[in-house]
Amino acid sequence: MKKITIYINGKAYQAKTDESVLQVALRNGLDIPHFCHHDDLPTGASCRTCLVETEKSITTSCTLKAEDGLKIKLDTVKVKKLRKENMELLLAGHREKCPKCTRGLYCETWEIMKKYGITGKKYQRDNPKRKIHKLGTAAEFDPALCINCNKCVEMCEKLGTCFLQLSGHDSKTRIDYNKDPKVDCIYCGQCTVHCPVGAIREQSHIEQVEKALKNKNKIVIVQTAPSVRASIGEEFGEEYGKDLTKKLYSAYRELGFDKVFDVNMGADITTMVEAEELIERIVKGGTMPMFTSCCPGWVKFLEFYHPELIPNLTTSRSPQIHSGGAYKTWWAEKEGINPKKIVVVSVMPCTSKKYEAQHEKLFINGLKPVDYVLTTRELANLLRKHKINPTKLKESEVDTYGTYSGAAAIYGASGGVMESALRTAHFMITGKPMKNLDLKEVRGMKGVKKAEIKIGKLKLKVAVVATAKNVRKIIDELKKDPKAYDYIEVMACPGGCIGGGGQPIPSTSEIVKKRIAGLYQIDRNLKMRQAHENPVALEFMEYAKKQSKKKRNSLLYTDYSKKEKFS
């Protein structure tokens, strides 16, 4: 692509002919306020805060295409005055401590307001009837903070869910939900990670976690999802994909957690349970193809839109539920601890994991395997509140019962669950490890990936799918040919969990690629790269299989049911 030169504040910058001035400026670290721009979504120029001045006029830099010789000024008196006026109008609903705002500990929007001298008071109106709309137990929408940039609606449509939509006309246009009883939210949280002002955000568990940490009668366990370690650094200025696993362990201890374990240990359990079930279905002629069930957003999609496919879901519990349950049973018994004293906190890249943790069907002996779920963003806020910067801490190790394999680390990337299960299935069938543990056929950002994997004499036809839009394509294929695939992994978010709704903002396809690379690097660096090599997970599996059938099922498996709207 042809390179051209533009001039910003008198300095020359290289640009591509298809780039906007805003993209060129941001790429070069130049400061232009913006809210409605996102690299993966259409340019709408609705917030009108990215104004710049050309030789002819003042215009939005997100719509202004780079042209050779173009001259731009960023901070003239006129530009700054208009920007400020537009921001005052947009952010009138925000203030230093927004009522009921889950980001009150550290509000990105308020930081922007302070930076540009915006108070929100000029146009501020209090609304005594202010209502927060709940999206299940995962996310929530505060209309008072919405700036009508429509990024949430665009992303919901792009992914194929189409739950959020616009209603009304002209100045009365507002974000609304689809009233069609056949359309529902799947709690993926992509709206929250694409909202620039926190109007749609996760339902916070920070307050509950802090209360638990202060309770001397509780033993508080923290466990981290695979993706969080490769993204939390972004909140503290680190490069995308930087592995902060061991520094994060130190940060948890600074916060006061009693035990630092890991969801990755649960992922190794999930891998073994799922691999066993896959083999059993193949050998005994069970329902095929088998779908993964780690992603609660995907599970909600299937239970609501395609309940006829419920028998295809693996009955394996998800990693956070497996490990949370293990710590409240097997580990509690080993340590002689009353499980009622244990509080398990999961740190996830996902909002739908909050929804999953509340499922009564997952309870064990009347207790939740996971009590609270913090998103990556919530964890960053909690750390900032306590003035803890993980990047500045020394490294430390996970507590013994959080040990995990490299196969668990790649669960965060689209294709990682399948790759992990196939590594172990190969060993279970042949008694030997795969010659090459890197199944590159199922890796990458493509929304649909297909491959044929050879395990002994078996040839498995597999597919890896991300987002609702793409899984509909696969389901249509299965209607025409039920034997098109043997094993299918599905994730609700682009790129998998690593691009989840609870991740740092911004989250673009290019950023997600770098995070994914970080996860595969973790796998490569570990000596133990297969789930069935994990002695901790193996010990728990042995414990679980010795229990009565009822208890064994509650530790390892789950079931599913048809869902109605808002259930």
Side-chain angles (χ1 to χ4, degrees):
M1 190 171 291
K2 184 181 177 183
K3 291 286 182 71
I4 57 177
T5 301
I6 68 172
Y7 298 88
I8 303 177
N9 289 347
K11 186 177 178 180
Y13 292 94
Q14 291 294 297
K16 299 174 186 175
T17 51
D18 65 335
E19 282 188 303
S20 69
V21 168
L22 177 63
Q23 288 173 311
V24 177
L26 295 178
R27 179 159 50 76
N28 287 283
L30 300 176
D31 182 30
I32 300 179
H34 60 283
F35 291 104
C36 68
H37 170 78
H38 192 282
D39 285 347
D40 298 340
L41 296 172
T43 299
S46 58
C47 76
R48 306 199 68 79
T49 60
C50 67
L51 297 173
V52 295
E53 188 168 348
T54 70
E55 292 177 303
K56 296 178 180 179
S57 65
I58 292 176
T59 187
T60 50
S61 59
C62 64
T63 58
L64 181 61
K65 289 297 181 182
E67 294 179 359
D68 198 32
L70 181 66
K71 295 178 180 178
I72 302 295
K73 291 182 180 179
L74 300 187
D75 46 15
T76 64
V77 173
K78 285 183 181 179
V79 165
K80 289 199 286 188
K81 183 176 182 296
L82 286 170
R83 279 182 189 167
K84 187 171 182 179
E85 188 74 14
N86 288 343
M87 291 174 78
E88 286 279 7
L89 280 163
L90 281 177
L91 305 176
H94 291 263
R95 62 201 74 179
E96 187 168 5
K97 292 185 179 177
C98 296
K100 301 181 181 177
C101 178
T102 59
R103 297 186 182 179
L105 294 175
Y106 176 81
C107 177
E108 297 93 332
T109 309
W110 182 252
E111 291 297 313
I112 292 170
M113 291 170 73
K114 285 195 293 184
K115 181 176 180 179
Y116 294 104
I118 309 299
T119 65
K121 290 178 181 178
K122 186 173 180 179
Y123 300 97
Q124 200 170 81
R125 293 183 182 89
D126 287 319
N127 182 1
K129 296 182 179 180
R130 184 176 188 175
K131 184 179 180 182
I132 309 294
H133 302 274
K134 301 291 184 182
L135 301 178
T137 52
E140 61 188 26
F141 173 49
D142 185 347
L145 304 184
C146 180
I147 63 170
N148 292 324
C149 68
N150 305 333
K151 295 299 116 176
C152 56
V153 175
E154 290 171 6
M155 197 64 190
C156 196
E157 183 179 355
K158 180 179 179 178
L159 298 181
T161 309
C162 301
F163 174 74
L164 294 175
Q165 61 180 22
L166 298 177
S167 64
H169 300 283
D170 301 323
S171 63
K172 293 185 178 180
T173 302
R174 295 289 181 268
I175 307 299
D176 201 354
Y177 67 86
N178 195 319
K179 303 299 193 298
D180 187 338
K182 295 181 181 179
V183 177
D184 200 10
C185 179
I186 62 172
Y187 311 133
C188 68
Q190 284 300 307
C191 52
T192 73
V193 80
H194 286 83
C195 177
V197 293
I200 295 188
R201 66 238 174 185
E202 61 273 82
Q203 291 181 29
S204 180
H205 288 174
I206 290 176
E207 189 176 329
Q208 296 96 314
V209 171
E210 287 195 301
K211 185 177 179 181
L213 287 170
K214 291 175 183 176
N215 190 336
K216 301 302 180 184
N217 295 318
K218 297 291 184 180
I219 295 170
V220 189
I221 292 171
V222 64
Q223 54 173 5
T224 312
S227 296
V228 176
R229 66 206 71 214
S231 61
I232 186 66
E234 295 167 31
E235 293 276 0
F236 298 91
E238 284 286 359
E239 61 191 49
Y240 300 119
K242 179 72 177 290
D243 174 22
L244 284 192
T245 304
K246 294 185 178 183
K247 288 179 178 286
L248 204 48
Y249 293 153
S250 299
Y252 290 140
R253 293 183 173 103
E254 290 282 321
L255 283 170
F257 284 98
D258 297 295
K259 287 293 177 180
V260 178
F261 292 146
D262 211 299
V263 171
N264 281 2
M265 195 283 283
D268 281 335
I269 296 170
T270 302
T271 294
M272 286 188 277
V273 173
E274 194 158 309
E276 286 177 352
E277 185 173 2
L278 177 63
I279 293 167
E280 185 178 357
R281 290 192 188 206
I282 292 170
V283 172
K284 295 185 178 180
T287 304
M288 298 290 279
M290 188 176 86
F291 285 105
T292 63
S293 66
C294 293
C295 171
W298 146 241
V299 171
K300 169 67 189 294
F301 174 91
L302 185 138
E303 289 179 317
F304 181 81
Y305 290 102
H306 290 282
E308 74 278 6
L309 292 174
I310 284 175
N312 294 77
L313 282 169
T314 173
T315 60
S316 172
R317 292 183 161 216
S318 75
Q320 73 154 349
I321 302 299
H322 267 143
S323 49
Y327 296 135
K328 287 195 177 184
T329 55
W330 159 74
W331 180 77
E333 289 177 25
K334 285 173 69 75
E335 301 295 320
I337 298 169
N338 183 344
K340 292 180 179 179
K341 292 183 65 177
I342 297 174
V343 176
V344 174
V345 177
S346 292
V347 183
M348 310 298 290
C350 177
T351 54
S352 66
K353 286 295 179 181
K354 291 175 180 279
Y355 158 75
E356 179 186 60
Q358 302 302 315
H359 273 317
E360 289 188 12
K361 68 180 183 182
L362 297 172
F363 288 17
I364 301 173
N365 300 326
L367 299 176
K368 297 177 185 177
V370 174
D371 297 280
Y372 306 114
V373 174
L374 298 177
T375 63
T376 311
R377 293 191 299 269
E378 284 178 283
L379 173 62
N381 285 349
L382 185 59
L383 290 169
R384 277 190 283 258
K385 181 183 179 182
H386 292 272
K387 295 180 173 53
I388 299 170
N389 183 339
T391 67
K392 305 297 183 184
L393 299 178
K394 291 182 179 179
E395 295 184 347
S396 65
E397 300 296 329
V398 70
D399 287 329
T400 302
Y401 296 103
T403 300
Y404 58 87
S405 74
I410 63 174
Y411 256 62
S414 173
V417 175
M418 174 172 288
E419 182 170 348
S420 301
L422 292 177
R423 289 179 186 180
T424 289
H426 187 283
F427 180 80
M428 289 177 172
I429 290 170
T430 67
K432 299 176 183 178
M434 282 183 164
K435 289 183 180 179
N436 182 6
L437 295 179
D438 297 329
L439 299 181
K440 294 183 180 178
E441 305 98 308
V442 298
R443 296 182 178 185
M445 284 289 290
K446 284 182 65 178
V448 178
K449 292 163 283 191
K450 303 175 183 180
E452 189 172 274
I453 306 296
K454 189 175 181 181
I455 299 179
K457 296 180 180 180
L458 291 174
K459 287 185 179 179
L460 296 181
K461 292 175 288 184
V462 304
V464 173
V465 191
T467 78
K469 181 176 284 187
N470 287 317
V471 80
R472 285 192 173 99
K473 297 175 186 176
I474 293 294
I475 290 172
D476 287 342
E477 276 192 62
L478 291 173
K479 287 177 182 177
K480 296 175 185 175
D481 180 9
K483 295 184 179 180
Y485 304 101
D486 300 300
Y487 187 26
I488 302 173
E489 178 195 304
V490 184
M491 294 290 169
C493 295
C497 306
I498 198 75
Q503 288 285 61
I505 299 170
S507 187
T508 68
S509 57
E510 290 304 310
I511 291 172
V512 170
K513 286 178 186 177
K514 292 174 182 177
R515 293 173 184 162
I516 288 173
L519 294 180
Y520 286 122
Q521 186 63 45
I522 293 171
D523 175 36
R524 285 193 295 273
N525 289 344
L526 288 172
K527 292 181 179 179
M528 183 171 65
R529 297 186 62 197
Q530 299 176 95
H532 55 273
E533 297 173 330
N534 183 347
V536 175
L538 285 169
E539 185 181 333
F540 169 74
M541 289 291 287
E542 185 179 353
Y543 163 88
K545 291 179 178 181
K546 287 180 180 178
Q547 306 306 308
S548 66
K549 183 178 180 180
K550 182 179 179 180
K551 186 172 182 181
R552 180 172 68 251
N553 286 345
S554 73
L555 292 171
L556 300 179
Y557 310 109
T558 187
D559 54 33
Y560 314 94
S561 58
K562 181 180 179 180
K563 290 285 188 293
E564 302 299 327
K565 189 160 184 165
F566 298 130
S567 62

